[in-house]
Amino acid sequence: MAINLNNSNVATRENRIGSITGYIGSLKDLATQSECGTLKGCSRCFSQSSSCLSSCALGQLSAIRDIAIIHHGPAGCSVAAAGTYYLDKVMAKKRGVTNNTVYVGTDMNENDTIFGSTEQLKKIVLEVNKRYSPKAIFVTSSCATGIIGEDIDSVVEDIRDQIDVPVVAVHCEGFKSRIWATGFDISDHAVLQSIVQPPREGVKSNKINFKNFYESARPEIIEMFKNFDLEPTFLYCNSTVEELSHLSEALATTCICGTLGNYLGNALEEKYGVPYIRSINQCGIVGFETWLREIGRVTGRSEKIEKYLEEQRAIYLPKIEEVKKQLKGLKAVLGMGPGYTFEVSRVLNELGIEVVWALAWHYDKKYDNGDVPPSMKYLLDNDIDFEASVSDQQNYEVMNILNKYQPDLYLSRHPGSTVWAIKNGTPAVYVADEYMIFGYKHTLDFAYSILDSIQNRSFEKNLAKRTKLPYTDWWYKQNVGEFLVHDKA
Ligand code: SF4
């Protein structure tokens, strides 16, 4: 799909790539329906939770160093800034840098939602620029501004001449998509529109754009890439505006999760010819090798990469084989964003653990280049199938599945979900860090974490014995599919 950087609005995942938030069936059926174009998302007759795409978009942007976010909306929407602000400061401190990003809410009130407040917004943008001298300014919307049609594009155009740093309108009204990951695309679109510049003539780069969340494996990946004369530029946590302006000069773009990196990767390839590494991700043995080999192929470094893989295999593979003996035959349920759900399913399969059910918080039928997500394609090509559902973090569906299947293990990338599993008596592994299964070394660590979780189950057993859950026997007898309603369209 062509990426249009002349428009500050980016279409939602539902409209752009046919993503859905409701489905129940099997992995193969999900893929077959996607491929032949018959897949339709279901609605829910009951929804327990949801998340706003604004938080996702603004959380991504505010991690960029020394910028300003001006969130035009009621204080209730801007409150997401509190968590983001804290996280950004912690991540900067951890890296040993300073992030002076400011996050300003315009505190829209009832008058503003009736009469509009674009004049005040202009004054606020100019004042923020004067007071904080940010390196870029993102003027962002909310449901309230979207509903009354506040023209933030015109506000930005009117004041552009008075501000000597990039300034851009960011359309992140929460109501426009059920999929919070649309926020990733919105933040990428804003960065591409306002900060990324065409490549400078004659500049030779050995950089790889690496889209991730919190760069926890930064030192380790820098060291690994030195073996191949490559240098990663991690995005967006602690990025500088200067770094982002040169993304178009990189040798390639890669990401830790296709859900996170798909829009930026495809857009950089389409606009500037920067190749996007389209492979399964770095989790597990096959994932790590496939990913590195694809980088080798794209950057002309295959020989160096094969040598590195051979050395590392000798160190880690015998240990992984050893721990696998103790994991064989375990049954697992997992609930994650769609990128990780299908990547981690592959790793569990590699470790000899049977996935009995996988929940994806949403599902992208295809990515922006029109391909089926590689993690999904790998499972299908290797004839791996299991029951699957698409459920936007509806905890009651997770609990229902855990109660029905009584797995040895539940894995999730969202802490709220693992806490409930533990209260239910199910050992759970919180795959919090995006690098928790990265490469051979972390795959081995991950296997040990699973072993730790299942070997001593007294914590879960005791907690479950003393916890009264709100879910009744009647509730547990319902089929998860009972809550899904097929859309008539
Ligand atoms: S969904 Fe709308 S009203 Fe709710 S927090 Fe997001 S922007 Fe604000």
Side-chain angles (χ1 to χ4, degrees):
M1 174 174 180
I3 304 227
N4 181 7
L5 296 181
N6 296 322
N7 190 327
S8 61
N9 249 305
V10 54
T12 62
R13 287 205 175 203
E14 290 95 324
N15 292 334
R16 215 175 70 241
I17 51 177
S19 306
I20 59 164
T21 50
Y23 166 84
I24 184 164
S26 72
L27 191 76
K28 277 194 178 157
D29 175 64
L30 182 63
T32 311
Q33 286 197 44
S34 301
E35 264 169 2
C36 68
T38 54
L39 182 66
K40 283 207 172 76
C42 301
S43 312
R44 286 190 165 70
C45 59
F46 169 70
S47 181
Q48 195 176 38
S49 64
S50 191
S51 216
C52 171
L53 64 83
S54 244
S55 309
C56 179
L58 303 185
Q60 288 285 305
L61 292 173
S62 69
I64 302 169
R65 277 192 264 167
D66 306 336
I67 54 130
I69 290 180
I70 297 168
H71 187 222
H72 192 35
C77 299
S78 303
V79 82
T84 297
Y85 181 83
Y86 173 74
L87 189 60
D88 294 342
K89 297 292 175 234
V90 169
M91 296 322 289
K93 179 97 179 150
K94 198 169 163 217
R95 163 106 172 257
V97 295
T98 310
N99 183 352
N100 291 314
T101 285
V102 288
Y103 196 122
V104 177
T106 59
D107 194 17
M108 283 180 88
N109 59 23
E110 283 181 17
N111 260 352
D112 298 332
T113 56
I114 295 165
F115 301 109
S117 53
T118 48
E119 285 310 312
Q120 287 101 308
L121 178 61
K122 275 184 205 169
K123 283 185 203 153
I124 291 169
V125 178
L126 293 171
E127 181 60 27
V128 166
N129 185 45
K130 193 170 110 198
R131 212 184 274 192
Y132 300 103
S133 303
K135 301 265 173 32
I137 301 176
F138 296 92
V139 180
T140 74
S141 59
S142 61
C143 285
T145 44
I147 289 167
I148 64 166
E150 286 278 81
D151 189 357
I152 59 169
D153 289 297
S154 295
V155 168
V156 166
E157 279 317 307
D158 288 351
I159 55 171
R160 198 183 293 284
D161 289 348
Q162 300 169 60
I163 294 177
D164 57 5
V165 294
V167 51
V168 67
V170 184
H171 289 274
C172 53
E173 302 85 7
F175 62 71
K176 69 181 182 186
S177 173
R178 283 184 189 166
I179 300 169
W180 70 78
T182 294
F184 296 142
D185 312 337
I186 292 171
S187 54
D188 288 342
H189 193 77
V191 167
L192 286 157
Q193 264 203 308
S194 60
I195 299 179
V196 179
Q197 299 298 315
R200 293 165 293 182
E201 256 181 55
V203 172
K204 279 209 165 211
S205 170
N206 66 342
K207 299 236 163 104
I208 300 278
N209 303 323
F210 201 134
K211 184 111 191 272
N212 72 163
F213 291 97
Y214 301 118
E215 61 174 10
S216 63
R218 179 190 173 83
E220 176 183 334
I221 293 172
I222 290 174
E223 277 311 304
M224 179 178 77
F225 272 24
K226 275 184 191 163
N227 292 301
F228 324 129
D229 183 30
L230 292 172
E231 204 184 325
T233 304
F234 292 94
L235 318 169
Y236 294 117
C237 185
N238 292 320
S239 291
T240 63
V241 170
E242 171 69 14
E243 278 171 346
L244 297 178
S245 70
H246 301 310
L247 294 184
S248 63
E249 294 166 7
L251 285 177
T253 304
T254 190
C255 60
I256 191 73
C257 163
T259 305
L260 174 76
N262 154 64
Y263 191 83
L264 182 78
N266 281 301
L268 286 171
E269 184 171 278
E270 190 179 308
K271 289 284 158 198
Y272 301 111
V274 180
Y276 178 41
I277 304 295
R278 289 189 186 86
S279 70
I280 48 176
N281 89 345
Q282 311 83 350
C283 292
I285 300 164
V286 178
F288 186 56
E289 292 175 358
T290 309
W291 171 72
L292 265 186
R293 285 185 173 133
E294 184 59 9
I295 290 182
R297 188 188 69 76
V298 167
T299 61
R301 284 154 166 85
S302 295
E303 220 172 286
K304 286 180 179 168
I305 282 174
E306 287 305 331
K307 185 170 171 286
Y308 175 82
L309 285 174
E310 201 183 314
E311 287 165 9
Q312 298 295 308
R313 283 175 76 95
I315 302 168
Y316 292 106
L317 261 53
K319 293 179 187 163
I320 294 175
E321 284 306 318
E322 199 49 42
V323 70
K324 266 172 72 175
K325 290 178 194 158
Q326 299 176 72
L327 302 177
K328 196 168 169 41
L330 291 176
K331 292 188 189 315
V333 168
L334 66 165
M336 303 180 183
Y340 269 82
T341 293
F342 302 120
E343 305 281 5
V344 177
S345 298
R346 179 189 69 248
V347 179
L348 294 177
N349 188 272
E350 269 186 304
L351 294 174
I353 299 172
E354 183 193 348
V355 174
V356 290
W357 193 296
L359 301 105
W361 301 150
H362 78 270
Y363 176 63
D364 299 317
K365 271 193 248 186
K366 54 187 180 176
Y367 280 161
D368 279 282
N369 65 333
D371 286 352
V372 172
S375 54
M376 181 66 148
K377 188 167 182 322
Y378 177 90
L379 295 172
L380 297 168
D381 290 349
N382 288 277
D383 206 22
I384 300 167
D385 195 14
F386 39 78
E387 289 191 87
S389 55
V390 179
S391 161
D392 51 352
Q393 247 190 315
Q394 302 299 326
N395 200 49
Y396 65 91
E397 293 181 14
V398 177
M399 294 298 279
N400 208 303
I401 290 160
L402 292 178
N403 192 60
K404 182 171 170 190
Y405 287 88
Q406 302 285 324
D408 298 295
L409 190 68
Y410 174 65
L411 301 103
S412 177
R413 263 185 52 76
H414 299 82
S417 179
T418 45
V419 167
W420 283 94
I422 290 170
K423 285 182 186 171
N424 190 46
T426 312
V429 174
Y430 174 29
V431 187
D433 188 313
E434 73 251 41
Y435 292 102
M436 190 171 170
I437 322 176
F438 180 91
Y440 300 135
K441 179 178 181 297
H442 296 286
T443 299
L444 178 63
D445 295 342
F446 176 64
Y448 283 135
S449 297
I450 294 178
L451 206 54
D452 286 347
S453 306
I454 53 133
Q455 275 181 336
N456 183 348
R457 304 187 187 198
S458 60
F459 172 61
E460 291 84 3
K461 276 187 189 153
N462 284 328
L463 194 68
K465 232 190 281 172
R466 289 163 176 76
T467 305
K468 188 172 183 306
L469 290 169
Y471 301 103
T472 61
D473 285 344
W474 173 87
W475 187 274
Y476 279 136
K477 280 183 197 127
Q478 307 307 300
N479 189 323
V480 172
E482 298 297 321
F483 304 104
L484 295 173
V485 184
H486 282 276
D487 287 338
K488 291 196 180 72

